Amino acid sequence: MTRRRQIYEGKAKILYEGPEPGTIIQYFKDDATAFNAQKRGTINGKGVINNRISEYVFTRLSHIGIPTHFIRRLNMREQLVRQVEIVPIEVVVRNVAAGSICTRLGLEEGEPLPHTLIEYCYKDDALGDPLIAEEHIACFGWASNEEMQDIASMAIRVNDFLCGMFAAINIRLVDFKLEFGRIYDGDFSRVILADEISPDGCRLWDMTSGEKLDKDRFRRDLGGEEEAYQEVARRLGLLQNDDS
Amino acid sequence: MTRRRQIYEGKAKILYEGPEPGTIIQYFKDDATAFNAQKRGTINGKGVINNRISEYVFTRLSHIGIPTHFIRRLNMREQLVRQVEIVPIEVVVRNVAAGSICTRLGLEEGEPLPHTLIEYCYKDDALGDPLIAEEHIACFGWASNEEMQDIASMAIRVNDFLCGMFAAINIRLVDFKLEFGRIYDGDFSRVILADEISPDGCRLWDMTSGEKLDKDRFRRDLGGEEEAYQEVARRLGLLQNDDS
Ligand SMILES: Nc1ncnc2c1ncn2[C@@H]1O[C@H](COP(=O)(O)OP(=O)(O)O)[C@@H](O)[C@H]1O
Ligand SMILES: Nc1ncnc2c1ncn2[C@@H]1O[C@H](COP(=O)(O)OP(=O)(O)O)[C@@H](O)[C@H]1O
Ligand SMILES: [Mg+2]
Ligand SMILES: [Mg+2]
């Protein structure tokens, strides 16, 4: 393989220049971080599983008409995606209260929310990804009104799809984080789903036992994080044939 | 005077039952608090000045058609207002970056914002009045969509009016906080401006010197808080005749 240029190394992935212009390669690491990278560790095999789960989810989302950056998986840890200009907003969709919203608004973990809630955070590690409102997004020009409408309606559709998909394997989708990016076509741009969807950015609870099958096992030192990630992949039918 | 029933004692005011049903009396104390009441103190004469400034501002706002709870000032420290059901949202209007938004979003104090920004916080001292978005307001039913539209358009009008009023006395209106409340008429309700508008809840900078003429003098131990509050009242022409 010829030498590839590394574009960016993040907390969980490395981005390399792709084979054609407008493409990049996402390499999934086993590195895990929490609490804005104050806690660091490794979850063995996480990168392989997240690469596979993200492929699975993005492929099926494209089948229901959600535009995504995903092109194809290249190998165990890498996938080819369309390069986008990331919208600097983390889109958090919550069905049940858990994590930061509990302390922020005084809710019990596990409390179902009155209805599905979309939260936006400004993607800036140095600031700790602060919660923002649409007013901030408009004021600082982080995304246009039209983009935010597209993002919100895609986020709701993704939530509906994922709720169904996880329900089918006895998992409750508590919350998850999405990132979107712009692709340009001449003067026009449009927003597509980017980054990844995996147990790193979702809260997934077994519907029967309530057991956590996501990164909270690492965040809260519950142990068994490798097994939890594997369990999600297994239930999705992604561990049977371990072809690359 | 007959014994009055105290309804509530807050950080800066006491509420008493008013003489007629649907009215209450706001008594303005000299007590000052900051950082969610972790810092406490007194600003001599503040209550008298805030009572007077709030009367002045609310009266003039009603002249441009903003509905307010204000009925009349009763004496140096008290005013009669319509009792409302407070909407549990603090509405913060910002023209220039200062205070919490600077640390939250990494802005320089004094940086003009690209345009006027409305922020909403959930009014809950125990939670430290956390920032919220319209999504939270809708999700938890803190206000209806129609109420939020009325609140936002009133907030913008109040900002325009206050910017003009303070500009006329060489003061830059950096930001301020509003509270709104519901009044009921049978099955119908409508939202009106409540609480107070005073240097306690505004950031006011002298346009020439940049000097702070508001509660930041107390928050940041700058000294001269009594004089600052008096200076604002003086420039508004409220200190000439010390009647009542
Ligand atoms: N299609 C894409 N094009 C460009 N950048 C992307 C794309 N998809 C995801 N990204 C960005 O690549 C990075 C992925 O690596 P990650 O380890 O998650 O980084 P981070 O620590 O910033 O979250 C993220 O910053 C994400 O915003
Ligand atoms: N017209 C009104 N009717 C009922 N409550 C009001 C009205 N105007 C203001 N309030 C409430 O009265 C209290 C005013 O006292 P304050 O010392 O400011 O209290 P706090 O410490 O809660 O800010 C506030 O809680 C405010 O929401
Ligand atoms: Mg990431
Ligand atoms: Mg108050």
Side-chain angles (χ1 to χ4, degrees):
Chain A
M1 200 170 194
T2 56
R3 249 258 167 55
R4 299 177 307 188
R5 199 170 64 85
Q6 181 177 314
I7 295 171
Y8 176 80
E9 171 153 10
K11 298 186 293 293
K13 300 187 286 298
I14 305 174
L15 304 183
Y16 297 99
E17 215 167 55
E20 294 121 49
T23 66
I24 57 171
I25 294 165
Q26 278 194 320
Y27 174 94
F28 287 74
K29 303 190 284 184
D30 286 349
D31 298 358
T33 62
F35 311 117
N36 197 23
Q38 286 174 277
K39 176 172 177 153
R40 294 165 180 279
T42 302
I43 302 176
N44 282 320
K46 171 172 85 76
V48 175
I49 291 175
N50 284 359
N51 186 30
R52 199 68 188 79
I53 292 179
S54 216
E55 170 195 23
Y56 179 92
V57 171
F58 276 64
T59 303
R60 273 148 194 80
L61 285 174
S62 77
H63 293 163
I64 64 159
I66 308 269
T68 86
H69 73 162
F70 184 78
I71 301 172
R72 69 174 174 278
R73 189 163 59 89
L74 298 172
N75 55 50
M76 296 267 281
R77 290 192 179 268
E78 295 182 328
Q79 54 179 240
L80 186 68
V81 300
R82 296 184 67 169
Q83 182 157 29
V84 301
E85 179 184 290
I86 287 285
V87 175
I89 298 171
E90 304 208 329
V91 179
V92 177
V93 183
R94 299 180 182 276
N95 299 302
V96 175
S100 66
I101 199 175
C102 291
T103 39
R104 194 168 3 98
L105 299 183
L107 306 174
E108 276 311 320
E109 176 151 289
E111 222 179 281
L113 294 167
H115 59 70
T116 299
L117 177 65
I118 304 189
E119 291 187 331
Y120 302 109
C121 296
Y122 180 49
K123 189 170 159 60
D124 186 316
D125 283 337
L127 298 172
D129 299 330
L131 182 81
I132 50 174
E134 275 165 277
E135 286 82 0
H136 300 95
I137 298 168
C139 185
F140 297 103
W142 293 324
S144 72
N145 252 320
E146 298 72 46
E147 287 173 337
M148 289 312 296
Q149 273 169 23
D150 289 350
I151 285 174
S153 62
M154 284 192 265
I156 292 296
R157 292 198 65 205
V158 171
N159 183 48
D160 287 340
F161 179 85
L162 290 182
C163 280
M165 186 190 89
F166 283 116
I169 56 172
N170 205 44
I171 287 175
R172 191 173 181 198
L173 179 61
V174 171
D175 56 39
F176 61 98
K177 187 261 287 178
L178 299 176
E179 291 185 27
F180 293 86
R182 289 179 195 98
I183 47 171
Y184 289 89
D185 182 6
D187 283 351
F188 293 94
S189 77
R190 120 186 133 108
V191 148
I192 67 176
L193 189 61
D195 205 49
E196 68 178 297
I197 296 181
S198 74
D200 264 16
C202 302
R203 281 195 174 84
L204 304 172
W205 296 355
D206 182 87
M207 276 192 182
T208 313
S209 66
E211 204 192 355
K212 296 187 200 307
L213 300 171
D214 56 56
K215 208 170 80 175
D216 270 348
R217 299 207 76 81
F218 167 77
R219 283 193 196 94
R220 303 178 189 189
D221 295 312
L222 301 176
E225 40 271 53
E226 280 92 354
E227 293 75 12
Y229 279 65
Q230 277 167 25
E231 177 63 14
V232 176
R234 196 193 56 75
R235 292 195 198 178
L236 286 171
L238 303 177
L239 282 193
Q240 283 105 338
N241 45 347
D242 267 339
D243 59 343
S244 72
Chain B
M1 204 173 190
T2 54
R3 247 258 166 58
R4 298 176 307 187
R5 197 169 66 85
Q6 181 177 312
I7 296 172
Y8 176 80
E9 171 151 12
K11 298 186 293 292
K13 301 186 286 299
I14 305 173
L15 304 183
Y16 296 101
E17 215 167 53
E20 293 121 49
T23 66
I24 56 171
I25 294 165
Q26 279 194 321
Y27 174 95
F28 287 74
K29 302 190 286 183
D30 286 351
D31 298 358
T33 62
F35 312 115
N36 197 23
Q38 287 173 277
K39 176 173 178 155
R40 293 165 179 279
T42 302
I43 302 176
N44 283 318
K46 172 172 83 77
V48 175
I49 290 175
N50 284 359
N51 185 30
R52 199 69 188 78
I53 292 179
S54 215
E55 170 194 22
Y56 179 92
V57 172
F58 275 64
T59 304
R60 274 151 193 79
L61 285 173
S62 77
H63 293 163
I64 64 160
I66 308 270
T68 86
H69 73 162
F70 184 79
I71 301 173
R72 69 175 173 279
R73 188 162 60 89
L74 298 173
N75 56 49
M76 296 268 280
R77 289 192 180 266
E78 295 181 328
Q79 53 179 241
L80 185 70
V81 301
R82 296 183 68 170
Q83 183 156 29
V84 301
E85 178 184 291
I86 287 286
V87 174
I89 299 171
E90 304 208 329
V91 179
V92 177
V93 183
R94 300 181 181 275
N95 299 303
V96 174
S100 66
I101 199 175
C102 291
T103 38
R104 193 168 4 100
L105 299 183
L107 307 174
E108 276 309 320
E109 177 152 290
E111 221 178 282
L113 294 167
H115 58 73
T116 299
L117 177 64
I118 305 189
E119 291 186 333
Y120 302 109
C121 297
Y122 180 49
K123 190 170 158 61
D124 186 316
D125 283 337
L127 299 171
D129 298 330
L131 183 79
I132 51 174
E134 274 163 279
E135 285 82 0
H136 300 94
I137 297 169
C139 185
F140 297 104
W142 293 323
S144 72
N145 252 321
E146 299 72 45
E147 286 173 337
M148 288 313 296
Q149 274 170 24
D150 289 351
I151 284 174
S153 62
M154 283 192 267
I156 291 296
R157 293 197 65 206
V158 171
N159 184 48
D160 287 339
F161 180 86
L162 290 182
C163 279
M165 186 190 90
F166 284 117
I169 57 173
N170 206 42
I171 287 174
R172 192 174 181 195
L173 179 61
V174 171
D175 57 39
F176 61 97
K177 187 262 288 180
L178 299 177
E179 292 184 29
F180 292 87
R182 291 179 193 98
I183 47 171
Y184 287 90
D185 183 5
D187 283 349
F188 292 93
S189 78
R190 116 186 135 109
V191 147
I192 66 176
L193 189 62
D195 205 50
E196 67 177 298
I197 296 180
S198 74
D200 264 16
C202 301
R203 282 197 173 83
L204 304 171
W205 295 355
D206 183 86
M207 276 192 183
T208 314
S209 67
E211 203 192 357
K212 297 185 198 310
L213 301 170
D214 56 56
K215 208 170 79 173
D216 270 349
R217 301 207 74 83
F218 167 77
R219 282 192 197 95
R220 302 179 189 189
D221 295 311
L222 302 176
E225 41 270 53
E226 280 91 353
E227 294 74 11
Y229 279 66
Q230 278 167 27
E231 177 62 14
V232 176
R234 196 192 58 74
R235 292 195 198 177
L236 287 171
L238 303 177
L239 282 192
Q240 283 104 339
N241 45 347
D242 268 343
D243 60 344
S244 87

